[in-house]
Amino acid sequence: MFRNQFVKSLQFMLACSLFSFGSVYADVPLTVEGLLTDKGKLKLDMTVSYANSEKSNASTGDYVNIQTGPTSFVTFPTKVGDGVINSDVLVGTLGLKYGIFANTEVYGRSSWFSSANRSSGVSGISNSSNNGLADAWVGVNYKFRDDKKTSAVLGFIEAAIIEKHNNNSASMKSWLVGFTTYKSTLVSG
């Protein structure tokens, strides 16, 4: 049942990403123009990431307790064999940016995840799944320097409105402050 839900989520996110692509041209050299959203305009960003992993391990099952003393016991498995764990993870992120000044933009983004885990071993086959909101962030980008449209220095600050991990959630606990530099060069061949 979960596998069907996971596949439907993957198909939906793939369809959304295919319809959101515009034309891409590379007729001119790259510049650092457009790093920030223009004043008074909105930008919508969307990303989809998928990962699959599989690992083999030793699997044990059907344990027996052996008494080694009046009050001590040792537990031994009676079945030992190979086991396999297979995991699928899909993460979709949706972001919105708004230019408030020529050199400043505010933004927000939120991520949703879906995961499926399958394991098999000497004790049988088990499946588990989890999905939901992963996190939501807000932030500000500010362009400190822009030299001749070929380099720029951006500063940013962002905060997690909510983040979830292992059935726990937190609000306004994570902050990120940093700088990003950009430089474009034209190489003629």
Side-chain angles (χ1 to χ4, degrees):
M1 178 177 142
F2 174 76
R3 186 83 168 163
N4 291 337
Q5 179 187 4
F6 187 78
V7 169
K8 286 179 185 178
S9 296
L10 181 62
Q11 289 170 342
F12 174 74
M13 295 183 89
L14 182 61
C16 288
S17 65
L18 290 176
F19 291 112
S20 66
F21 292 120
S23 298
V24 177
Y25 299 97
D27 295 338
V28 294
L30 293 174
T31 65
V32 294
E33 294 174 345
L35 291 176
L36 297 180
T37 308
D38 294 334
K39 181 180 176 182
K41 299 226 175 165
L42 284 171
K43 275 188 186 176
L44 180 67
D45 295 324
M46 186 178 97
T47 61
V48 177
S49 301
Y50 170 78
N52 175 274
S53 67
E54 183 170 290
K55 64 180 178 177
S56 298
N57 60 1
S59 176
T60 59
D62 292 339
Y63 297 93
V64 64
N65 289 324
I66 299 173
Q67 189 170 5
T68 59
T71 59
S72 61
F73 294 85
V74 176
T75 303
F76 284 104
T78 59
K79 291 184 180 178
V80 177
D82 291 330
V84 175
I85 299 172
N86 185 282
S87 299
D88 292 307
V89 177
L90 178 70
V91 177
T93 302
L94 191 63
L96 190 63
K97 297 178 180 180
Y98 179 73
I100 56 175
F101 301 113
N103 59 351
T104 308
E105 73 180 1
V106 293
Y107 60 90
R109 72 175 181 278
S110 182
S111 297
W112 176 86
F113 75 95
S114 180
S115 66
N117 300 302
R118 293 158 305 283
S119 60
S120 63
V122 295
S123 296
I125 297 172
S126 66
N127 296 311
S128 66
S129 62
N130 195 5
N131 60 47
L133 178 71
D135 56 20
W137 292 74
V138 293
V140 176
N141 275 330
Y142 178 78
K143 186 173 10 174
F144 287 102
R145 194 180 85 198
D146 189 355
D147 295 333
K148 301 178 188 173
K149 308 290 185 205
T150 60
S151 65
V153 177
L154 299 180
F156 61 89
I157 183 169
E158 61 184 21
I161 297 171
I162 188 167
E163 44 189 344
K164 295 184 176 183
H165 182 69
N166 291 338
N167 298 324
N168 295 320
S169 64
S171 295
M172 303 305 285
K173 298 285 184 182
S174 296
W175 291 79
L176 184 61
V177 177
F179 294 93
T180 306
T181 62
Y182 293 89
K183 173 90 174 146
S184 67
T185 57
L186 177 62
V187 178
S188 58

